[in-house]
Amino acid sequence: MQGHRFVADRMIGRLARMLRLLGYDTVYQPELNPVELAELARREGRIILTRGDTRQRFPGATNVFSVRSEYPPEQLREVVEEFSLDPKSGLWTRCTVCNGCISPVAKEEIKGQVKPKVYEIYSEFYRCAGCGRVYWHGSHVERILKNLSLVLGRKL
Ligand SMILES: [Zn+2]
């Protein structure tokens, strides 16, 4: 299980997606204003991730972390270090689009839901329990992992 749960402020959507990629439960609802966002964080025991002056934006909130970098991969590194996150154990367990959990699914079950070429080439498929999106283990996965490894300075 991944210990920390987050809610990402509207300006750091890409960071939210990267945290989901590592398996961390991260709410991202850009339509929420700071007051609503702080209320959600308090209610669900989530850490608020933001950028800029937290005291002005979230007065009184205690569980806030403000990233310094403007560059999402660098922001990810800041969060991983600050909370000693494990970037490996939850990798590919969460949907980057909706934050739902993804799990392996039999190849036959997703026939017709991916392009015929993809169905033909790949054998490992996953499906999101939240939005139904189908993922597969392709070359893009290796590329993303390589980039993440570079950013975090360790092998994934
Ligand atoms: Zn999903």
Side-chain angles (χ1 to χ4, degrees), residues 18-69:
M18 294 177 91
L19 281 166
R20 289 171 178 172
L21 188 67
L22 300 188
Y24 284 91
D25 180 348
T26 308
V27 168
Y28 179 63
Q29 293 177 336
E31 71 277 12
L32 296 182
N33 66 40
V35 174
E36 294 168 325
L37 198 136
E39 168 57 24
L40 184 148
R42 200 188 51 75
R43 200 172 58 234
E44 300 186 0
R46 293 176 183 275
I47 297 159
I48 301 171
L49 298 175
T50 186
R51 265 198 79 217
D53 189 347
T54 60
R55 280 164 304 180
Q56 206 171 50
R57 200 162 163 75
F58 301 104
T62 49
N63 257 355
V64 189
F65 180 65
S66 182
V67 294
R68 285 177 292 277
S69 179

Coordinates of all heavy atoms in Angstrom, one line a residue, residues 18-69:
M18 N 2.0 12.4 -12.9 CA 3.2 11.6 -12.7 C 3.2 10.9 -11.3 O 3.7 9.8 -11.2 CB 4.4 12.6 -12.7 CG 4.7 13.1 -14.1 SD 6.0 14.3 -14.1 CE 7.3 13.3 -14.5
L19 N 2.5 11.5 -10.3 CA 2.4 10.8 -9.0 C 1.5 9.6 -9.2 O 1.7 8.5 -8.6 CB 1.8 11.8 -8.0 CG 2.8 12.7 -7.4 CD1 2.1 13.8 -6.6 CD2 3.8 12.0 -6.5
R20 N 0.4 9.7 -10.0 CA -0.5 8.6 -10.3 C 0.3 7.5 -11.0 O 0.1 6.3 -10.7 CB -1.6 9.0 -11.2 CG -2.6 9.9 -10.4 CD -3.6 10.5 -11.4 NE -4.6 11.3 -10.8 CZ -5.5 12.0 -11.4 NH1 -5.5 12.0 -12.7 NH2 -6.4 12.8 -10.8
L21 N 1.2 7.8 -11.9 CA 2.0 6.9 -12.6 C 2.8 6.0 -11.6 O 3.0 4.8 -11.7 CB 3.0 7.6 -13.5 CG 3.8 6.8 -14.5 CD1 2.9 6.1 -15.5 CD2 4.8 7.7 -15.2
L22 N 3.3 6.7 -10.5 CA 4.0 5.9 -9.4 C 3.1 5.2 -8.5 O 3.5 4.6 -7.6 CB 4.9 6.9 -8.6 CG 6.0 7.7 -9.4 CD1 6.8 8.5 -8.4 CD2 6.8 6.8 -10.3
G23 N 1.8 5.4 -8.7 CA 0.8 4.6 -7.9 C 0.2 5.4 -6.7 O -0.5 4.9 -5.9
Y24 N 0.6 6.7 -6.6 CA 0.1 7.5 -5.5 C -1.3 8.1 -5.8 O -1.5 8.7 -6.8 CB 1.1 8.6 -5.1 CG 2.3 7.9 -4.3 CD1 3.4 7.5 -5.0 CD2 2.2 7.7 -3.0 CE1 4.4 6.9 -4.3 CE2 3.2 7.1 -2.3 CZ 4.3 6.7 -3.0 OH 5.3 6.1 -2.3
D25 N -2.2 7.9 -4.8 CA -3.6 8.4 -4.9 C -3.5 9.9 -4.9 O -3.2 10.5 -3.9 CB -4.3 7.8 -3.7 CG -5.8 8.3 -3.7 OD1 -6.1 9.2 -4.5 OD2 -6.5 7.7 -2.9
T26 N -3.8 10.5 -6.1 CA -3.7 12.0 -6.2 C -4.9 12.6 -6.9 O -5.2 12.3 -8.1 CB -2.5 12.3 -7.1 OG1 -1.3 11.7 -6.5 CG2 -2.2 13.8 -7.1
V27 N -5.7 13.3 -6.1 CA -6.9 14.0 -6.7 C -6.5 15.2 -7.4 O -5.6 16.0 -6.9 CB -7.9 14.3 -5.5 CG1 -9.0 15.3 -6.1 CG2 -8.5 13.1 -4.9
Y28 N -7.0 15.4 -8.6 CA -6.8 16.6 -9.4 C -8.1 17.1 -10.0 O -8.6 16.5 -10.9 CB -5.7 16.3 -10.5 CG -5.4 17.6 -11.3 CD1 -4.9 18.7 -10.7 CD2 -5.8 17.6 -12.7 CE1 -4.6 19.8 -11.5 CE2 -5.5 18.7 -13.4 CZ -4.9 19.8 -12.8 OH -4.7 21.0 -13.6
Q29 N -8.6 18.1 -9.4 CA -9.9 18.7 -9.9 C -9.7 20.2 -10.0 O -10.0 21.0 -9.1 CB -11.0 18.4 -8.9 CG -11.3 16.9 -8.8 CD -12.4 16.5 -7.8 OE1 -12.6 17.2 -6.8 NE2 -13.1 15.4 -8.0
P30 N -9.2 20.6 -11.2 CA -8.9 22.0 -11.4 C -10.1 23.0 -11.2 O -9.8 24.2 -11.0 CB -8.4 22.1 -12.8 CG -8.7 20.8 -13.5 CD -9.0 19.8 -12.4
E31 N -11.3 22.4 -11.2 CA -12.4 23.3 -11.0 C -12.6 23.8 -9.5 O -13.4 24.7 -9.2 CB -13.7 22.7 -11.5 CG -14.3 21.5 -10.7 CD -13.6 20.2 -11.0 OE1 -12.5 20.2 -11.7 OE2 -14.0 19.1 -10.5
L32 N -11.9 23.1 -8.6 CA -12.0 23.5 -7.2 C -11.3 24.7 -6.9 O -10.2 24.9 -7.3 CB -11.5 22.3 -6.3 CG -12.1 21.0 -6.3 CD1 -11.5 20.1 -5.3 CD2 -13.6 21.1 -6.0
N33 N -11.8 25.6 -6.0 CA -11.1 26.8 -5.6 C -10.3 26.4 -4.3 O -10.5 25.3 -3.8 CB -12.0 28.0 -5.3 CG -13.0 27.7 -4.2 OD1 -12.6 27.1 -3.2 ND2 -14.2 28.1 -4.3
P34 N -9.3 27.2 -3.9 CA -8.5 26.9 -2.8 C -9.2 26.4 -1.5 O -8.8 25.5 -0.8 CB -7.6 28.1 -2.5 CG -7.6 28.8 -3.9 CD -8.9 28.5 -4.5
V35 N -10.3 27.1 -1.2 CA -11.1 26.8 0.0 C -11.7 25.4 -0.1 O -11.6 24.5 0.8 CB -12.3 27.8 0.2 CG1 -13.1 27.4 1.4 CG2 -11.7 29.2 0.5
E36 N -12.3 25.0 -1.3 CA -12.8 23.7 -1.5 C -11.7 22.6 -1.5 O -11.9 21.5 -1.0 CB -13.6 23.7 -2.9 CG -14.8 24.6 -2.9 CD -15.3 24.7 -4.4 OE1 -14.5 24.8 -5.3 OE2 -16.5 24.8 -4.5
L37 N -10.6 23.0 -2.1 CA -9.5 22.1 -2.1 C -9.0 21.7 -0.7 O -8.7 20.6 -0.4 CB -8.4 22.7 -3.0 CG -7.3 21.8 -3.6 CD1 -7.1 22.1 -5.0 CD2 -6.1 21.9 -2.8
A38 N -8.8 22.8 0.1 CA -8.4 22.6 1.5 C -9.4 21.8 2.3 O -9.0 20.9 3.1 CB -8.1 23.9 2.2
E39 N -10.6 22.0 2.0 CA -11.7 21.2 2.7 C -11.6 19.7 2.3 O -11.7 18.8 3.2 CB -13.1 21.8 2.4 CG -14.3 21.0 2.8 CD -14.3 20.7 4.2 OE1 -13.7 21.4 5.0 OE2 -15.0 19.7 4.6
L40 N -11.4 19.5 1.1 CA -11.3 18.1 0.6 C -10.1 17.4 1.2 O -10.1 16.3 1.6 CB -11.2 18.1 -1.0 CG -11.2 16.7 -1.7 CD1 -11.8 16.9 -3.0 CD2 -9.8 16.2 -1.8
A41 N -9.0 18.2 1.2 CA -7.7 17.6 1.8 C -7.9 17.2 3.3 O -7.5 16.2 3.8 CB -6.6 18.6 1.7
R42 N -8.6 18.1 4.0 CA -8.9 17.9 5.5 C -9.8 16.7 5.6 O -9.5 15.8 6.4 CB -9.5 19.1 6.1 CG -9.4 19.2 7.6 CD -10.3 20.4 8.1 NE -11.7 20.4 7.7 CZ -12.6 19.5 8.1 NH1 -12.3 18.6 9.0 NH2 -13.8 19.5 7.6
R43 N -10.9 16.6 4.9 CA -11.9 15.6 5.0 C -11.3 14.2 4.6 O -11.6 13.2 5.3 CB -13.0 15.9 4.0 CG -14.3 15.2 4.3 CD -15.4 15.7 3.4 NE -15.2 15.5 2.0 CZ -15.2 16.5 1.1 NH1 -15.5 17.8 1.5 NH2 -14.9 16.3 -0.2
E44 N -10.4 14.1 3.6 CA -9.9 12.8 3.2 C -8.5 12.6 3.6 O -7.9 11.6 3.2 CB -10.0 12.8 1.6 CG -11.4 12.9 1.1 CD -11.5 12.7 -0.4 OE1 -10.5 12.4 -1.0 OE2 -12.6 12.8 -0.9
G45 N -7.9 13.5 4.5 CA -6.6 13.3 5.0 C -5.5 13.3 3.9 O -4.6 12.4 3.9
R46 N -5.6 14.2 3.0 CA -4.7 14.3 1.9 C -3.7 15.5 2.1 O -4.1 16.5 2.7 CB -5.4 14.6 0.6 CG -6.2 13.4 0.1 CD -7.0 13.6 -1.1 NE -7.9 12.5 -1.5 CZ -7.4 11.5 -2.2 NH1 -6.2 11.4 -2.6 NH2 -8.2 10.4 -2.4
I47 N -2.5 15.4 1.5 CA -1.5 16.5 1.5 C -1.8 17.3 0.3 O -2.0 16.8 -0.8 CB -0.1 15.9 1.5 CG1 0.2 15.0 2.7 CG2 0.9 17.0 1.3 CD1 1.3 14.1 2.5
I48 N -1.9 18.7 0.5 CA -2.1 19.6 -0.6 C -0.7 19.9 -1.3 O 0.2 20.2 -0.6 CB -2.7 20.9 -0.1 CG1 -4.0 20.7 0.6 CG2 -2.8 21.9 -1.2 CD1 -4.5 22.0 1.3
L49 N -0.7 19.7 -2.6 CA 0.5 20.1 -3.3 C 0.2 21.3 -4.2 O -0.9 21.4 -4.8 CB 0.9 18.9 -4.3 CG 1.3 17.6 -3.6 CD1 1.5 16.5 -4.6 CD2 2.5 17.8 -2.7
T50 N 1.0 22.3 -4.1 CA 0.8 23.5 -4.8 C 2.1 24.2 -5.2 O 3.2 23.6 -5.0 CB 0.0 24.5 -3.9 OG1 -0.4 25.7 -4.6 CG2 0.8 24.9 -2.6
R51 N 2.0 25.4 -5.7 CA 3.2 26.2 -6.0 C 3.0 27.6 -5.6 O 1.8 28.0 -5.6 CB 3.5 26.2 -7.6 CG 4.4 25.2 -8.1 CD 5.0 25.6 -9.4 NE 6.0 26.6 -9.3 CZ 6.2 27.6 -10.2 NH1 5.3 27.8 -11.2 NH2 7.1 28.5 -10.0
G52 N 4.0 28.2 -5.1 CA 3.9 29.6 -4.7 C 3.6 29.8 -3.2 O 3.9 28.8 -2.5
D53 N 3.1 30.9 -2.8 CA 2.9 31.2 -1.4 C 1.7 30.4 -0.8 O 0.6 30.8 -1.1 CB 2.7 32.7 -1.2 CG 2.7 33.1 0.3 OD1 2.7 32.2 1.1 OD2 2.8 34.3 0.5
T54 N 2.0 29.4 0.0 CA 0.9 28.6 0.6 C 0.1 29.3 1.6 O -1.1 29.1 1.8 CB 1.5 27.3 1.2 OG1 2.4 27.7 2.2 CG2 2.2 26.5 0.2
R55 N 0.8 30.3 2.4 CA 0.0 30.9 3.5 C -1.1 31.8 3.0 O -2.2 31.9 3.5 CB 1.0 31.8 4.3 CG 1.8 30.9 5.3 CD 3.0 31.7 5.8 NE 3.8 32.2 4.7 CZ 4.9 32.9 4.8 NH1 5.3 33.3 6.0 NH2 5.6 33.3 3.8
Q56 N -0.8 32.4 1.8 CA -1.9 33.3 1.2 C -3.0 32.4 0.6 O -4.1 32.7 0.7 CB -1.2 34.1 0.1 CG -1.9 35.4 -0.1 CD -1.1 36.3 -1.0 OE1 -0.7 35.9 -2.1 NE2 -0.9 37.6 -0.6
R57 N -2.6 31.4 -0.1 CA -3.5 30.6 -0.8 C -4.3 29.6 0.1 O -5.5 29.4 -0.1 CB -2.8 29.8 -1.9 CG -3.6 29.3 -3.0 CD -2.8 28.9 -4.2 NE -3.5 28.1 -5.2 CZ -4.4 28.5 -6.0 NH1 -4.8 29.8 -6.0 NH2 -5.1 27.7 -6.8
F58 N -3.6 29.0 1.1 CA -4.3 28.1 2.0 C -4.0 28.5 3.4 O -3.3 27.8 4.2 CB -3.7 26.7 1.8 CG -3.9 26.2 0.4 CD1 -2.9 26.1 -0.5 CD2 -5.2 25.8 0.0 CE1 -3.1 25.7 -1.8 CE2 -5.4 25.3 -1.3 CZ -4.3 25.3 -2.2
P59 N -4.6 29.6 3.9 CA -4.4 30.1 5.3 C -4.9 29.0 6.3 O -6.0 28.5 6.1 CB -5.2 31.4 5.4 CG -6.2 31.3 4.3 CD -5.6 30.5 3.2
G60 N -4.0 28.7 7.2 CA -4.5 27.8 8.3 C -4.3 26.3 8.0 O -4.3 25.5 8.9
A61 N -4.1 26.0 6.7 CA -3.9 24.6 6.4 C -2.5 24.1 6.8 O -1.5 24.9 6.6 CB -4.1 24.4 4.9
T62 N -2.4 22.9 7.3 CA -1.1 22.5 7.8 C -0.4 21.5 6.9 O 0.8 21.5 6.8 CB -1.3 21.8 9.2 OG1 -2.3 20.9 9.1 CG2 -1.6 22.8 10.3
N63 N -1.2 20.7 6.2 CA -0.6 19.7 5.3 C -0.5 20.2 3.9 O -1.1 19.8 3.0 CB -1.5 18.4 5.3 CG -1.0 17.3 6.2 OD1 0.1 17.5 6.7 ND2 -1.7 16.2 6.3
V64 N 0.4 21.2 3.7 CA 0.7 21.8 2.4 C 2.1 21.6 2.1 O 3.0 21.9 2.9 CB 0.3 23.3 2.4 CG1 0.3 23.8 1.0 CG2 -1.1 23.5 3.0
F65 N 2.4 21.3 0.8 CA 3.8 21.3 0.3 C 3.8 22.1 -1.0 O 3.1 21.8 -1.9 CB 4.3 19.9 0.1 CG 5.7 19.9 -0.4 CD1 6.8 20.3 0.4 CD2 6.0 19.4 -1.7 CE1 8.1 20.3 -0.1 CE2 7.3 19.4 -2.1 CZ 8.4 19.8 -1.3
S66 N 4.7 23.1 -1.0 CA 4.8 23.9 -2.2 C 6.0 23.6 -3.0 O 7.1 23.6 -2.4 CB 4.8 25.4 -1.8 OG 4.9 26.2 -2.9
V67 N 5.9 23.1 -4.2 CA 7.0 22.8 -5.0 C 7.7 24.1 -5.5 O 7.0 25.1 -5.7 CB 6.7 21.9 -6.2 CG1 6.2 20.5 -5.7 CG2 5.6 22.5 -7.1
R68 N 9.0 24.0 -5.7 CA 9.7 25.2 -6.1 C 9.9 25.3 -7.7 O 9.8 26.3 -8.3 CB 11.1 25.2 -5.5 CG 11.1 25.6 -4.0 CD 12.5 25.6 -3.4 NE 13.0 24.2 -3.3 CZ 12.7 23.4 -2.3 NH1 11.9 23.8 -1.4 NH2 13.2 22.1 -2.3
S69 N 10.1 24.1 -8.3 CA 10.4 24.1 -9.7 C 9.1 24.4 -10.5 O 8.0 24.1 -10.1 CB 11.0 22.8 -10.1 OG 11.2 22.7 -11.5

